[in-house]
Each structure stands twice: as C-alpha cells, then as structure tokens.
Amino acid sequence: MSALDTSPPGRSAIKRITVMQGEALASKDPQVELSTVLGSCVATCLFDPIAKVGGMNHFLLAEPPAHLSHLEFDEHYGLFLMELLINEMLKLGAAKSRLKARLYGGANMNSGLAQIGSANAAFARRFLQQEGIVQAFEDLEGQSARRVHFQPATGRVRCSTTAQAAIPKQKPVAPPQSDVGQVELF
Amino acid sequence: MTKGHEMTQSTRILTVDDSASMRALLLNALQQEGFDVEQAVDGQDALDWLASNEVDVIITDINMPRLDGFGLIERLRESARHADRPILVLSTESSDEKKRRARDAGATGWIVKPFNADKLAAAVRRIAH
C-alpha cells in the first residue's frame, strides 16, 4: 500500500505519497507529490504535458532461476507495471502518444554476476523505445541509491543520491497471487 | 491426452493489443505453445483485418485507442460471422464491474495480466472450436 503523508500543515499542504516497489500511481492533483527511494529498482515517471497528468511506477525484475542465463530476467512483471501505470494515466485523461518519460534508479549496488540494476534499466529503456514513448531524461545505473520526488501535475522531478541504508529491503513483489494469470470463463 | 502439436497447430489466434511489448510477449508465448498467431494493434485494426480473414480465437486487451476491447467485442457480436467466435479478454484490470461489462458484451472469458503462458494456452485449447 502507499503511504500518504500530508505535510506540512498550514501553507498549501503537499500530499506526499510514497510509491512502493510493485506499485504504479497516477494523479493530476497539483498538491500531490509522488516519492520513492531506489536502489537497483527503476522508477518510471510519465507525464502528459497537455492533460497535466503524471504517474510513477517502481519495479524490480525477478532474477532468473539458476538453470537460466543470468541475463534472462523475467520481464513479465516490469511489463505489467508499465501497462498498469499507463492505464491509470489514461483513466485521468492522458494520451499515450503524448507521454514523456524520465527514468531513475537501476543502480548496481553490489558487485555480482547478475547486474540487476542494469537489467532493470535496460528493460525500461527498451520498453519506451518499443512503445514509441519519448524518453526525455534518465538518471540510471551507477552505484548510488536515489531518492526521487515527482509532481505529477507539473512533471517536475527532483532526484538526489541517498545513503544505501535508506533503501527498504527489496525483493521483486508480485501482484496479488489470486489474480495472476487467473482464467475466468463466463 | 498430452499437449499435442497436432491439436494446436491449426488453431489460429488473433491477439489485439496496443502495446508492442505485450504483442511481442504474446507472440513468443503462443507460438511456443504451437499456435498460429496474428496480431492487431487495436480494436479497429482487428475489425479491419477480420473483414477478410478468419481466426479460431481472439485475445484482446481492453484499454486501446480508436476502438477499445469492449467496443471490439460488441462490434463482433453484431456480426453473424463472429457471433460464436471465442473471445478472451487479457487485461491488467480485474474489477467485477469490468468483467461484467465484458461478459455482457459477449466475451467468452477474462484473464488477468501478467498472464501465465500455460494457463493461457489451456484456456485457448478449451474454448477453440
């Protein structure tokens, strides 16, 4: 679930919503700010400048099982979260053809064979290219954790590096198992 | 009976999805299961293609430009040629309201993304005429 933090009191209150791994949220509310902390995960910030609708997802591709190449990350889940984000934005009046994307995260925090961060980053770039979505900016890979704040109604993003300790322990989060691939014949 | 190539080889599926990434994933998964796969980029593209082609099963997304999945199903059910054609919806949506709308429009079934290739193939085999 998302954490909703309305602060500070007084002034024009900003509604800060934390986008957790496995989530995709969209809004056109000028008071909403979507925030997340990324290690090897990637966050996609999409913005429609005409409809003034923005949204963010936060995903981590599952590592391949031992019998597969370390390069064969499972992209089903990343694709699901991309589509979920786009659909949420369409519901608020966005048009896919107008979307501009900014990508963040994908750090390789630990030196290992599976460069998880790079795999997440590569998937995100490839998705945007295949879908014809303009990639306006990226701050991807490297070795630093990142904190991202996104104002969905304006498309403004602030990104800063942060201590690795700020990153929640993360494993790929699957959608509710009761629904995954569920077949219902009428 | 085990999963037979003879059983599925002649089953022709039309997938309808505006996401190129999803089309690629579906194409790969369904071809590996032995199906013949055709693809359309939205409901209107599917209608245009079906005007002069035949398929055994249609798998359609819901949220698409020009003509969405609900509209596609409704338009197909108006035609005697497609009145009984099995149509599966494949969507990230899973609300009862959306499912009810699809069923009322004439959909045969609903599958929630991300799909499981085995379950999808089994559903296609079950409903293919």
Side-chain angles (χ1 to χ4, degrees), chain A residues 119-183:
Chain A
N120 289 318
F123 163 77
R125 292 188 191 105
R126 190 167 56 250
F127 174 86
L128 296 176
Q129 188 176 26
Q130 285 179 335
E131 300 300 323
I133 296 173
V134 175
Q135 185 185 328
F137 181 81
E138 71 170 45
D139 183 359
L140 292 168
E141 301 186 76
Q143 291 181 305
S144 300
R146 295 170 174 90
R147 188 182 296 275
V148 180
H149 302 283
F150 176 48
Q151 295 176 341
T154 64
R156 284 197 200 103
V157 183
R158 285 178 288 126
C159 176
S160 55
T161 54
T162 188
Q164 195 166 339
I167 308 169
K169 293 272 184 230
Q170 294 174 323
K171 286 186 176 178
V173 175
Q177 287 302 306
S178 57
D179 284 345
V180 174
Q182 181 186 339
V183 177

Side-chain angles (χ1 to χ4, degrees), chain A residues 22 76-77 80-81 84 172-181, chain B residues 112-114:
Chain A
H76 275 67
Y77 186 50
F80 166 74
L81 279 172
L84 205 58
V173 175
Q177 287 302 306
S178 57
D179 284 345
V180 174
Chain B
V112 180
K113 291 176 186 172

Side-chain angles (χ1 to χ4, degrees), chain A residues 83 87 130-131 179 181 184 186, chain B residues 19-21 99 108 110 113:
Chain A
E83 187 167 356
N87 285 344
Q130 285 179 335
E131 300 300 323
D179 284 345
E184 186 175 339
F186 301 137
Chain B
S19 163
S21 311
K99 289 180 185 175
T108 312
W110 188 288
K113 291 176 186 172

Side-chain angles (χ1 to χ4, degrees), chain B residues 73-103:
Chain B
I73 298 166
E74 287 164 359
R75 294 281 296 277
L76 290 174
R77 292 310 186 216
E78 289 170 0
S79 152
R81 235 181 95 218
H82 300 296
D84 297 321
R85 183 89 55 227
I87 304 174
L88 287 174
V89 173
L90 180 63
S91 174
T92 55
E93 309 261 4
S94 59
S95 73
D96 289 341
E97 186 266 331
K98 292 281 173 66
K99 289 180 185 175
R100 192 162 42 246
R101 191 173 160 199
R103 188 190 59 211

Side-chain angles (χ1 to χ4, degrees), chain A residues 181-183 185, chain B residues 3-4 7-9 11 13 15 25-37 57 59 88 90 111 115-129:
Chain A
Q182 181 186 339
V183 177
L185 297 181
Chain B
K3 184 170 71 178
M7 261 190 76
T8 58
Q9 203 163 32
T11 300
I13 302 171
T15 69
L25 200 63
L26 276 169
L27 180 69
N28 185 44
L30 292 169
Q31 283 185 336
Q32 281 193 8
E33 293 285 344
F35 298 111
D36 293 333
V37 182
V57 174
I59 301 173
L88 287 174
L90 180 63
I111 300 178
F115 69 88
N116 173 297
D118 291 340
K119 288 181 183 175
L120 178 62
V124 168
R125 291 191 184 95
R126 190 168 162 195
I127 63 175
H129 292 156

